[in-house]
Amino acid sequence: MSTTSIGSHPSDVGRLRMRGLDTLSEVVGEMSFSEGFYFIVTGRRPTASELRVFDAALLVLMDHGLTPSALVARLVADSNPGDIQVPLATGILMVGNKFAGTMVGAGRILSEGMNHDGDKRKWAESLVSRYREAKRRIPGFGHPNYVGVDPRAQRLVQIAESAGVKGGYIRLLKLLSEAVDGAAGKRVTLNVTGVLGAVLNEIGFPVETMRAVAVVGRCAGLVAHINEEMTSPITADLLDFSETIEYVE
């Protein structure tokens, strides 16, 4: 018989449970949203240190201006006024391997590195070599706008270190960054998603669900964009701009 440990069934009106706790008396009013999010995914309450890092991870990608996800959400909101879930869903679909979602790839790589028994620096150099031979980019490195330093990445590392995480994944990421720079012969930007892969590993958040942190955080930002589109729309300007794109046969 199939089972679930997440929550009690809606028809089970005699109880309302979440991960073994009474939802109304032990979760609602007792946990913040971030704490509840971490708890329902992992099955345990985060420590104060873990919660501080998790809060920062949820906030750091909440918004970055008129990103592709924000533009898509605004365009769809213009076509579906009054149905906020529709533009939210379409905007969130833009969080993927190209935009904002590469922390899963970075998290996997760092998890592999932590499980490597040999010299970590040699592991990093070997990994960089494999990716270069395959002509693939390592998740978490490079950025079209930030050159050399991604301040969001720096801030996350500061918060994680000040929160007192063990730091093994952060140190491993720094070794990997040095190997990337060495192979490239220049400074390659370690971006925020690479650091997210490290700090979320530090706090025990499952690798395969790391992208959800970007999705949940960005969803809040998209609500703001959709709300602004209702009162101060930019869709007309976007459509006007589209008319300047030349049609050719």
Side-chain angles (χ1 to χ4, degrees), residues 18 21 26-36 39 45:
M18 181 189 295
L21 299 185
E26 296 178 288
V27 179
V28 177
E30 301 298 320
M31 295 187 191
S32 66
F33 177 81
S34 298
E35 191 174 4
F39 170 70
R45 294 182 73 157

Side-chain angles (χ1 to χ4, degrees), residues 7-138:
S8 53
H9 198 279
S11 64
D12 188 358
V13 296
R15 60 180 179 171
L16 182 58
R17 308 286 287 179
M18 181 189 295
R19 286 286 193 180
L21 299 185
D22 183 276
T23 304
L24 299 183
S25 66
E26 296 178 288
V27 179
V28 177
E30 301 298 320
M31 295 187 191
S32 66
F33 177 81
S34 298
E35 191 174 4
F37 181 18
Y38 186 98
F39 170 70
I40 199 169
V41 173
T42 67
R44 67 176 182 85
R45 294 182 73 157
T47 65
S49 173
E50 291 169 338
L51 183 58
R52 185 169 180 230
V53 173
F54 194 56
D55 265 329
L58 282 165
L59 286 167
V60 74
L61 291 179
M62 184 176 287
D63 180 67
H64 210 160
L66 293 173
T67 58
S69 59
L71 291 171
V72 166
R74 283 174 176 264
L75 287 168
V76 175
D78 181 70
S79 298
N80 293 271
D83 292 309
I84 195 170
Q85 76 282 3
V86 178
L88 275 178
T90 53
I92 284 304
L93 289 174
M94 301 294 289
V95 179
N97 289 325
K98 186 174 182 180
F99 297 114
T102 53
M103 64 281 294
V104 173
R108 284 195 196 112
I109 286 171
L110 295 172
S111 181
E112 172 195 322
M114 287 298 286
N115 290 324
H116 179 73
D117 292 331
D119 184 275
K120 302 296 187 186
R121 188 176 296 278
K122 289 183 179 179
W123 165 83
E125 292 170 351
S126 174
L127 183 135
V128 171
S129 178
R130 294 200 309 269
Y131 269 77
R132 287 177 69 84
E133 288 175 6
K135 293 180 169 54
R136 294 171 57 201
R137 292 181 60 180
I138 298 177

Side-chain angles (χ1 to χ4, degrees), residues 163-177:
V165 299
K166 291 182 178 179
Y169 288 96
I170 294 173
R171 289 189 292 273
L172 183 61
L173 182 60
K174 289 178 179 178
L175 282 178
L176 181 57
S177 182

Side-chain angles (χ1 to χ4, degrees), residues 208-221:
E208 298 306 320
T209 56
M210 285 180 180
R211 184 176 293 169
V213 177
V215 170
V216 172
R218 182 58 59 90
C219 194

